[in-house]
Amino acid sequence: MNIKKILLAIALIGLVVAAFFANFVYKAMFKPNTAFNNEEAYIYIPSDAKYKDVQQQLSSLLIDLESFDALAKQKKYTSNIKAGKYAIKKGMSNNDIINTIRSKNLPINIAFNNQETIEKLAGRIASQIEADSLSLLQAMTDKAFLNENNFSDKTALGMYIPNSYEFFWNTSAESFRARMLKEYNRFWNEKRLAKAKALNLTKDEVMTLASIVHEESKQASEQPRIAGVYLNRIRIGMPLQADPTLKYAAYQLPEYKNTIIKRVLNVHKEIESPYNTYKNLGLPPGLIAMPDISAIDAVLNFETHKYLYFCADAKNLGFHKFAKTLAQHNANAREYQSYLSRQGINK
């Protein structure tokens, strides 16, 4: 009789232990364990992260970090960290979370345009992916890479076609650069290459001219006409006389550091620089800024006309007046200069 009672007691204890273990397993694996009220939260796991780094990011998002730790060790996640951006959804269990941060690295959209320099582009990209601006800049300006792909420090910015691209957050600087080279080569398809050849311009020269066109006007509707003006000047051997190149040349000088030139003056036309297109024939040695795709295609699909001049339109700001003769251009220019003076814009 005593033996039966002992066996029964052992069985009951076993059931209690089993129930406790089952409850523990359920809580560790399947019970919701999120502590935030939003529909989802994001964590960013760096490439060199240790498990403690993951813990730190999850600590404020979970109700019970200890149960998560226990399951993470059991599933061997603690020694197999995966870098990336991950979405933790409200109501997820520990099991769901571990499965997510193990295999569901989220892609992100990287967008950039209007970057004046390669340094600013590096900073813009660094704000969107794991790679820092220094590593990006080093990759973008690496001389061996530039030489291998027929770029120079003056044309390197042209490799980055402004658009929106899908990446993983933990993309390295070198991987970003490789992808951008691939996108550049895809952009320069046979159709665009044929149009550049018909203009007797290289890809770099098209990009350089496009950068001037883009700095002259952000209006896509008139960019082909502006491109046509510059191509007319090149055709007849006339200097480009592009004011944006004077600004670019000036900004390279110490006295213009941290200044904004709102009005191009005669003194700017005297600056000694290969970017001064009043003093030098042809295109400058490289881009003066990052052109939009609209400006690149404006050069390749320029408007055929006989205009040789254009000037900002004081009565329709953001647009320009075009002229075939210097006399008409001078009249347009006087009208705009008068407008600037009335606005108190003297430099």
Side-chain angles (χ1 to χ4, degrees):
M1 187 68 178
N2 289 335
I3 294 176
K4 288 183 179 181
K5 288 181 179 180
I6 292 171
L7 292 174
L8 180 59
I10 292 172
L12 290 172
I13 291 171
L15 288 173
V16 170
V17 171
F20 177 82
F21 181 74
N23 183 60
F24 173 80
V25 170
Y26 171 77
K27 287 176 64 178
M29 293 190 68
F30 304 116
K31 186 178 179 180
N33 193 28
T34 54
F36 52 88
N37 294 320
N38 295 334
E39 287 303 310
E40 59 186 11
Y42 297 99
I43 65 170
Y44 296 82
I45 302 177
S47 297
D48 59 352
K50 306 298 183 185
Y51 181 63
K52 65 179 180 180
D53 300 311
V54 180
Q55 280 181 310
Q56 187 174 12
Q57 291 204 50
L58 288 174
S59 60
S60 62
L61 302 178
L62 303 185
I63 298 170
D64 181 2
L65 186 59
E66 289 185 6
S67 66
F68 179 86
D69 287 341
L71 188 60
K73 291 174 184 176
Q74 182 182 341
K75 298 189 74 168
K76 295 182 172 52
Y77 173 76
T78 55
S79 58
N80 191 25
I81 309 301
K82 302 289 186 181
K85 175 185 177 182
Y86 300 95
I88 310 301
K89 298 184 183 298
K90 182 180 179 181
M92 270 187 167
S93 67
N94 290 330
N95 195 55
D96 293 332
I97 295 170
I98 292 170
N99 288 342
T100 294
I101 62 179
R102 172 178 277 165
S103 62
K104 296 182 180 179
N105 190 3
L106 288 176
I108 61 173
N109 285 320
I110 289 180
F112 59 87
N113 63 354
N114 298 332
Q115 302 303 303
E116 296 172 353
T117 65
I118 200 97
E119 290 82 5
K120 290 184 178 180
L121 175 61
R124 169 68 177 160
I125 301 305
S127 70
Q128 300 177 77
I129 64 175
E130 181 184 9
D132 60 38
S133 58
L134 179 59
S135 63
L136 283 162
L137 183 59
Q138 288 174 338
M140 292 172 174
T141 58
D142 178 70
K143 291 189 181 299
F145 172 83
L146 294 178
N147 291 337
E148 182 181 347
N149 293 285
N150 300 313
F151 291 102
S152 70
D153 58 344
K154 295 177 176 60
T155 62
L157 185 63
M159 195 187 90
Y160 301 88
I161 306 298
N163 212 328
S164 178
Y165 302 96
E166 190 174 271
F167 281 88
F168 287 113
W169 173 78
N170 54 307
T171 298
S172 69
E174 291 74 16
S175 294
F176 173 78
R177 181 186 66 186
R179 168 71 182 283
M180 287 297 93
L181 177 61
K182 183 177 179 180
E183 295 294 341
Y184 172 83
N185 290 329
R186 180 181 290 122
F187 176 82
W188 281 103
N189 54 33
E190 290 184 9
K191 189 175 181 180
R192 285 191 173 99
L193 288 172
K195 289 180 177 181
K197 185 176 181 180
L199 293 173
N200 198 29
L201 296 177
T202 66
K203 291 182 290 185
D204 286 339
E205 289 171 334
V206 170
M207 297 297 288
T208 296
L209 182 52
S211 73
I212 297 173
V213 171
H214 186 250
E215 288 300 291
E216 289 282 15
S217 177
K218 302 301 188 287
Q219 305 294 337
S221 61
E222 71 169 13
Q223 286 174 344
R225 180 168 291 188
I226 291 174
V229 170
Y230 284 130
L231 289 168
N232 284 346
R233 291 179 180 180
I234 290 172
R235 178 175 50 81
I236 65 173
M238 176 182 174
L240 290 184
Q241 297 181 336
D243 286 356
T245 66
L246 296 184
K247 290 183 179 182
Y248 181 87
Y251 289 144
Q252 312 309 307
L253 303 176
E255 57 264 39
Y256 290 97
K257 187 177 181 181
N258 299 323
T259 65
I260 297 177
I261 299 172
K262 294 183 178 180
R263 184 171 183 170
V264 172
L265 305 172
N266 287 332
V267 66
H268 299 128
K269 297 177 184 178
E270 298 305 317
I271 294 174
E272 291 296 334
S273 168
Y275 288 89
N276 183 339
T277 56
Y278 278 79
K279 285 196 166 204
N280 302 289
L281 281 174
L283 291 163
L287 289 75
I288 62 171
M290 175 183 286
D292 278 353
I293 291 176
S294 65
I296 303 169
D297 283 339
V299 172
L300 296 174
N301 301 281
F302 69 98
E303 181 180 317
T304 301
H305 54 63
K306 295 184 179 180
Y307 294 122
L308 284 174
Y309 308 95
F310 64 97
C311 176
D313 188 345
K315 295 179 181 178
N316 192 13
L317 296 178
F319 290 85
H320 295 79
K321 286 186 172 182
F322 294 81
K324 297 176 183 177
T325 67
L326 182 58
Q328 182 59 57
H329 172 66
N330 287 338
N332 293 338
R334 284 193 296 271
E335 181 181 356
Y336 185 66
Q337 295 296 333
S338 176
Y339 162 78
L340 291 178
S341 296
R342 291 197 305 271
Q343 299 301 311
I345 300 173
N346 299 311
K347 60 181 181 178

